[in-house]
Amino acid sequence: MSRLNTPSLDDAPAGARGILDTFDAQFGFVPNMFKTIASNPTVLDAVVTLQGTMSRVLDAKTRHTIALAVSEANGCGYCLAIHTYVSSELGGMSSEDIHLARAGSSVDPKRAAVARFAQQVVESRGRVSDADLAAVRGAGYTDPQILAIVTVAVQALLTNFLNNVNQTDIDIPSAGSIGMPG
């Protein structure tokens, strides 16, 4: 059960309604995470603005891979469920690739390197080794792209932390455990 107040759509603050309507139009429902965050329209705006800005860096499958790898490393069941759903239904990722992303890999060697690197960013709290940087560079990522990878990872961590604090009720198909493909 969620530990923070999750207002109904009718009770959401006026400053959040437009954003919530956008999610409803996109998904056919408003995910509980966004309903909860809507209780503070400024935080909702910050999260949505960051997500919108970061949607312009890297390709969608790489961003989804990072989100899945980070959410697995950080143990966020809600984010794993929503990123699995979005990666599959909107992102065109196969069940195998989603499963591999959660394990820090991918069917694509370049995305496998980014998944491993993103998990290292989380597990080392950003104190990645020279070898970690060399591996992601060796996969073809430039320093500006590495900055984008870290920022996408931090974006995922932000929602991981919000959902882990809240223990947000999962209102989308559960991602299952790492031992079983999504």
Side-chain angles (χ1 to χ4, degrees), residues 5-9 12-13 16-17 19-24 26-27 29-41 43-49 51-52 78-79 82-83 86 155 158-159 162-163 166 168-169 171-172:
N5 180 42
T6 303
S8 69
L9 292 178
R17 290 191 187 216
I19 294 171
L20 296 178
D21 289 344
T22 299
F23 283 109
D24 193 24
Q26 182 180 10
F27 294 114
F29 69 102
V30 178
N32 280 339
M33 174 181 82
F34 293 107
K35 285 193 270 187
T36 300
I37 298 171
S39 68
N40 186 326
V43 173
L44 178 65
D45 182 59
V47 168
V48 171
T49 298
Q51 289 178 337
Y78 189 89
C79 290
I82 199 159
H83 289 301
V86 170
Q155 169 195 317
L158 172 61
T159 56
L162 291 169
N163 287 300
N166 185 36
T168 307
D169 291 332
D171 55 345
I172 48 185

Side-chain angles (χ1 to χ4, degrees), residues 99-179:
H99 178 74
L100 288 170
R102 291 178 59 187
S105 191
S106 173
V107 297
D108 175 82
K110 191 170 181 178
R111 283 200 322 269
V114 86
R116 281 189 301 278
F117 183 74
Q119 286 188 334
Q120 275 305 113
V121 167
V122 172
E123 292 166 4
S124 72
R125 297 182 186 166
R127 292 179 180 92
V128 296
S129 69
D130 290 343
D132 294 328
L133 277 172
V136 77
R137 284 180 177 137
Y141 288 99
T142 64
D143 286 0
Q145 290 172 317
I146 292 169
L147 291 172
I149 292 164
V150 172
T151 306
V152 171
V154 170
Q155 169 195 317
L157 279 174
L158 172 61
T159 56
N160 287 178
F161 285 0
L162 291 169
N163 287 300
N164 283 345
V165 165
N166 185 36
Q167 295 178 1
T168 307
D169 291 332
I170 297 175
D171 55 345
I172 48 185
S174 177
S177 70
I178 191 73

